[in-house]
Amino acid sequence: MAMEQNNNTSQPHKAMLFALAFLLSLNHASSMYTVYNPIKPRHSRLLKSAVQRETPTSQLSELWAPLEDHGWKPFVESTKPTALPEKSEGYIQVFLDGGLNQQRMGICDAVAVAKILNATLVIPYLEVNPVWRDSSSFSDIFDVDHFIDVLKDDISIVKELPDEYSWSTREYYSIAIRETRIKAAPVHASAHWYLENVLPVLQSYGIAAISPFSHRLSYDNLPMDIQYLRCKVNFQALVFVPHIRTLGDALINRLRYPQQADGEMSPNYIREVTGAGASNAGKFVVLHLRFDKDMAAHSACDFGGGKAEKLALAKYRQVMWQGRVVNSQFTDEELRGQGRCPMTPEEIGLLLAALGFDNSTRVYLASHKVYGGEARISTLRQLFPLMEDKKSLTSPEERTLIKGKASVLAALDYYIGVHSDIFISASPGNMHNAMVGHRTYLNLKTIRPNMALMGQLFLNKTMEWPEFQQSVIEGHENRQGQLRLRRPKQSIYTYPAPDCMCQAQ
């Protein structure tokens, strides 16, 4: 939510306007360096060997084999929930910023806070993302009726405020200080904090609007039923709207049955391939390639684009964060040795190749815009020529339904990611964390790159392929989806056991 403003434009708002204007000028500089400073492979020795690799059938079988049963299963309510209190304390509104996966966690926390306060939750408001400029609402992404129905025994939820509270809007809170706005909620606040600070506002005014709300509920020291409720929201209540699921199923089928997708894509595609039988289904990997300009600039790492690229990223960093980037004080070698540099498409491709994925592997590329465009992706495509993305898998008509809708695109990637045989993210982040948690809950294989190891391996310019491959395999033996119990301060959405799961008897 915007900060309170007087009649003049606020300083943060001015800074954002200046940043957006400046980014337009950087686009010209970026296009120039791609022309005059072509992006070349940084690990040519390894790349040459990787392109010629052959993987034994036994290794491929082991690679694609599902995870063994880890002895845990999703927790199921053993008793019927108690009836909701007859009287609600009032209405809770939350305004959620960030990307879709950050908003997803915020929605789960909002339900938990409403339960703690015995309040009625208003369907959360999703802020317009200033980077992607996507104005998608909750109902554009998630099935509202399903959400309300699954949680009907836990909390009261309304789609809109009643007329007497219709004044409580984002615009109302953006222009002045309001008694009903809670803007001082600390990060990872306790249940006690909400009872002490928000409940009195509810009791006085009948409504409380909390913003900002991202990461505003503790992961620890909460009653078991509140923790389980967060899990229930994340894994049961939050279901994407039918048209996202339908398109997601179509793309999954086109990945699993590529021979039937070679012709013209038809509206009957899903029905046609469903009849083919699961035995003929192919396997695929979802690669979340987290390598956009924000990530590249904020890392302060060198990605081989020459002086022009370094200058462009430095300028971008100055405009976006006014130079307040911790990584800037370290050298590129230090950052890579510490595992603090995001892997480029070339590097994540080499990691996958070293693990044993051969050039017949079908890879679905889940990403928004890749910094450097096709010039950077080309080495990855060289290693995995059967790589697909949303554009290659969809028809022109399907693309018109999702074009320019970053949250819908992210939801589609999430849906396909959950249903893939293997998921891997090139760098840690909200999507990576959400996938690790959801796929742990379902006991699905998820590769977590050892960033420190990979950084150190890529610094060694004399290493030959056999040594590189052995180091990668050994360094990822226990990073392929094995269940890890949540420790204090860790996110319940990344580590669902033991809060969301129980040991099988």
Side-chain angles (χ1 to χ4, degrees):
M1 178 178 293
M3 300 290 292
E4 285 81 359
Q5 305 172 15
N6 54 25
N7 291 332
N8 299 318
T9 305
S10 68
Q11 288 301 113
H13 187 58
K14 284 182 179 178
M16 179 59 72
L17 290 176
F18 175 72
L20 291 174
F22 187 77
L23 294 183
L24 294 176
S25 68
L26 284 185
N27 285 337
H28 177 66
S30 297
S31 63
M32 288 183 64
Y33 83 71
T34 55
V35 173
Y36 296 108
N37 296 274
I39 299 170
K40 299 178 181 178
R42 304 195 73 191
H43 311 285
S44 300
R45 180 197 299 264
L46 295 175
L47 183 62
K48 182 179 179 180
S49 298
V51 169
Q52 299 171 350
R53 73 198 184 279
E54 293 183 4
T55 305
T57 303
S58 58
Q59 185 181 352
L60 281 173
S61 298
E62 183 179 348
L63 196 60
W64 289 106
L67 285 177
E68 295 181 2
D69 185 356
H70 50 46
W72 290 72
K73 61 181 181 179
F75 179 75
V76 178
E77 291 173 299
S78 57
T79 58
K80 187 176 181 180
T82 57
L84 294 177
E86 292 184 7
K87 184 177 182 299
S88 167
E89 294 289 354
Y91 294 95
I92 283 287
Q93 284 179 294
V94 296
F95 297 82
L96 303 173
D97 55 13
L100 180 65
N101 293 299
Q102 183 173 321
Q103 291 172 334
R104 184 186 185 98
M105 292 183 283
I107 294 166
C108 299
D109 288 348
V111 171
V113 167
K115 181 71 172 180
I116 291 168
L117 298 174
N118 181 29
T120 299
L121 178 67
V122 184
I123 289 294
Y125 179 93
L126 307 186
E127 295 277 16
V128 176
N129 190 299
V131 177
W132 310 126
R133 303 180 189 181
D134 183 1
S135 58
S136 296
S137 66
F138 186 105
S139 60
D140 292 327
I141 307 297
F142 299 108
D143 187 326
V144 176
D145 291 333
H146 177 86
F147 180 76
I148 294 174
D149 183 63
V150 169
L151 300 172
K152 66 180 183 297
D153 294 325
D154 299 290
I155 64 167
S156 296
I157 304 174
V158 295
K159 296 180 181 179
E160 297 178 348
L161 285 167
D163 290 342
E164 62 185 296
Y165 294 107
S166 60
W167 47 265
S168 185
T169 63
R170 180 189 184 281
E171 291 70 29
Y172 173 77
Y173 294 109
S174 68
I175 58 176
I177 297 174
R178 309 294 188 181
E179 294 293 329
T180 51
R181 178 184 172 186
I182 309 297
K183 67 173 185 176
V187 173
H188 300 153
S190 66
H192 178 74
W193 187 91
Y194 282 96
L195 291 169
E196 288 287 310
N197 295 275
V198 181
L199 184 58
V201 175
L202 281 174
Q203 293 172 333
S204 297
Y205 300 97
I207 189 169
I210 311 175
S211 176
F213 189 67
S214 294
H215 309 292
R216 288 316 197 267
L217 182 61
S218 173
Y219 295 126
D220 303 307
N221 302 317
L222 291 173
M224 185 180 299
D225 64 317
I226 297 297
Q227 294 288 63
Y228 171 68
L229 181 57
R230 296 164 100 174
C231 307
K232 185 176 180 179
V233 180
N234 194 27
F235 302 125
Q236 299 177 39
L238 285 177
V239 170
F240 295 125
V241 291
H243 73 84
I244 291 178
R245 301 200 308 269
T246 299
L247 182 55
D249 287 332
L251 301 195
I252 290 168
N253 278 307
R254 289 166 196 170
L255 287 162
R256 294 204 183 282
Y257 305 93
Q259 66 280 2
Q260 297 188 16
D262 289 339
E264 184 177 348
M265 298 169 188
S266 71
N268 298 323
Y269 185 82
I270 296 177
R271 184 168 67 249
E272 292 168 3
V273 299
T274 301
S279 61
N280 297 323
K283 298 181 183 295
F284 69 96
V285 176
V286 167
L287 167 58
H288 181 236
L289 189 55
R290 192 166 181 247
F291 195 75
D292 54 32
K293 182 178 278 189
D294 270 19
M295 166 69 77
H298 196 269
S299 72
C301 300
D302 178 11
F303 299 105
K307 292 183 179 180
E309 179 180 84
K310 286 184 181 180
L311 179 61
L313 291 178
K315 287 183 176 180
Y316 187 94
R317 193 157 50 242
Q318 182 62 36
V319 171
M320 294 300 291
W321 301 287
Q322 293 75 52
R324 296 191 297 272
V325 175
V326 175
N327 281 7
S328 297
Q329 61 187 295
F330 300 100
T331 66
D332 182 71
E333 289 74 16
E334 289 172 331
L335 292 172
R336 291 188 181 281
Q338 297 167 19
R340 296 168 71 171
C341 290
M343 280 190 282
T344 64
E346 175 189 5
E347 290 169 343
I348 190 66
L350 289 170
L351 166 59
L352 286 170
L355 287 174
F357 293 99
D358 62 16
N359 59 10
S360 68
T361 303
R362 296 192 68 81
V363 176
Y364 173 79
L365 192 60
S367 63
H368 193 65
K369 291 184 178 179
V370 175
Y371 179 58
E374 185 58 34
R376 273 223 163 82
I377 297 177
S378 60
T379 50
L380 178 61
R381 200 179 300 281
Q382 188 178 357
L383 290 166
F384 298 100
L386 300 184
M387 188 169 67
E388 305 278 8
D389 57 21
K390 287 179 283 291
K391 184 176 181 180
S392 68
L393 287 172
T394 53
S395 66
E397 292 77 15
E398 289 168 333
R399 286 196 290 276
T400 60
L401 300 175
I402 58 178
K403 184 178 180 180
K405 300 178 180 179
S407 292
V408 173
L409 296 173
L412 196 58
D413 284 342
Y414 189 103
Y415 185 83
I416 296 172
V418 167
H419 290 84
S420 64
D421 298 283
I422 298 174
F423 179 90
I424 183 171
S425 183
S427 300
N430 287 328
M431 175 69 163
H432 167 87
N433 293 338
M435 278 291 108
V436 167
H438 207 141
R439 291 174 66 86
T440 296
Y441 186 76
L442 299 173
N443 195 34
L444 299 174
K445 186 169 285 189
T446 309
I447 299 172
R448 296 181 298 111
N450 187 330
M451 299 299 290
L453 170 67
M454 298 310 299
Q456 292 160 16
L457 293 179
F458 287 129
L459 283 173
N460 188 338
K461 300 302 182 183
T462 62
M463 183 176 287
E464 299 290 346
W465 179 254
E467 183 184 355
F468 176 81
Q469 185 173 32
Q470 182 178 354
S471 297
V472 170
I473 291 174
E474 291 176 353
H476 290 84
E477 283 181 347
N478 298 313
R479 303 178 69 88
Q480 301 194 25
Q482 293 86 350
L483 184 140
R484 296 172 295 158
L485 296 179
R486 188 178 73 85
R487 298 196 299 267
K489 298 185 179 180
Q490 287 184 328
S491 170
I492 192 174
Y493 307 117
T494 307
Y495 304 92
D499 304 275
C500 310
M501 307 177 74
C502 58
Q503 288 184 287
Q505 300 297 323

